[in-house]
């Protein structure tokens, strides 16, 4: 039951790739390169990214490693902490993007930035809700607990849809000159490399 849940949760690291600009090469900025103001904006967004990604990746790893037939209390404790870390990680990501403001000199940049912040914030809230749900499961009754995990897996389908929306919003934000600007930032590069590393690697 919990393996299904972990499978539904996997793939969150692609959010980093979307924001890091490493999901595509080049941009629409020509030979001049991105505006220095845009590069400064990218630095604001990218600098805190490795720490945020470490928390998010660690949470996904923990969920994937939970023994599905283990003691309910252990599963509950691990899942609860992982959901909390995911909520915190995506909230921090939204905060960094919000604090950075709109990317300067980008057509529709403000709307794209606000959309990404809104979706990251909603994703954080969704994980906070999952934490509440897993905390409320009955660990004294194995059947009830398994049933509760099943309900949690169903809820994850809605969260998966939120993933899609969040990824799309980040990809829209990182097109063109924004892409060029973020690829110059070590924070985004490091986070992207970490996100693409095998989950078994203990970096």
């Amino acid at each position: 039951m919990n393996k299904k849940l972990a499978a539904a949760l996997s793939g969150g690291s692609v959010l980093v790739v979307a924001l890091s600009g490493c999901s595509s090469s080049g941009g629409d900025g020509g030979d001049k390169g991105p505006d220095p103001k845009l590069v400064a904006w990218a630095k604001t967004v990218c600098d805190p990214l490795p720490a945020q990604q470490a928390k998010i990746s660690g949470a996904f790893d923990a969920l994937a490693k939970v023994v599905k037939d283990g003691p309910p209390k252990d599963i509950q404790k691990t899942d609860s902490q992982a959901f909390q870390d995911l909520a915190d990680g995506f909230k921090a990501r939204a905060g960094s993007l919000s604090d950075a403001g709109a990317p300067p000199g980008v057509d529709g940049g403000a709307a794209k930035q606000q959309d990404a912040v809104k979706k990251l914030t909603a994703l954080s809230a969704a994980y906070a809700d999952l934490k509440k749900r897993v905390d409320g499961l009955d660990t004294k009754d194995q059947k009830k607990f398994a049933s509760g995990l099943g309900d949690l897996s169903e809820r994850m389908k809605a969260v998966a849809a939120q993933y899609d929306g969040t990824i799309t919003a980040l990809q829209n934000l990182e097109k063109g000159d924004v892409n060029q600007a973020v690829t110059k930032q070590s924070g985004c590069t490091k986070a992207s490399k970490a996100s693409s590393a095998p989950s078994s690697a203990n970096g």
Side-chain angles (χ1 to χ4, degrees), residues 24-148:
S24 58
S25 59
D28 305 324
D31 295 329
K32 294 186 299 179
D35 187 311
K37 289 181 181 178
L38 187 57
V39 173
W41 174 89
K43 180 175 172 60
T44 302
V45 172
C46 291
D47 279 358
L49 200 56
Q52 295 165 1
Q53 178 58 21
K55 176 168 278 201
I56 291 167
S57 293
F60 280 122
D61 285 345
L63 287 167
K65 291 173 183 175
V66 169
V67 179
K68 63 175 180 176
D69 297 322
K73 280 194 173 183
D74 290 351
I75 294 174
Q76 182 186 53
K77 182 179 179 182
T78 300
D79 284 0
S80 177
Q81 184 60 57
F83 289 141
Q84 182 65 62
D85 287 346
L86 287 166
D88 291 345
F90 286 117
K91 184 177 181 180
R93 179 97 33 100
S96 296
L97 203 51
S98 179
D99 291 344
V106 175
D107 288 342
K112 292 176 181 179
Q113 176 250 358
Q114 288 166 13
D115 185 45
V117 169
K118 180 180 177 181
K119 286 181 167 63
L120 283 164
T121 301
L123 198 56
S124 171
Y127 282 117
D129 177 64
L130 286 173
K131 174 182 161 49
K132 283 184 182 178
R133 288 171 186 254
V134 79
D135 285 347
L137 295 180
D138 185 351
T139 58
K140 295 177 182 177
D141 186 313
Q142 188 82 39
K143 278 191 174 182
K144 284 185 180 178
F145 185 73
S147 175

Side-chain angles (χ1 to χ4, degrees), residues 5-25:
L5 182 62
L9 286 163
S10 66
S13 61
V14 80
L15 288 167
V16 162
V17 180
L19 186 56
S20 72
C22 297
S23 56
S24 58
S25 59

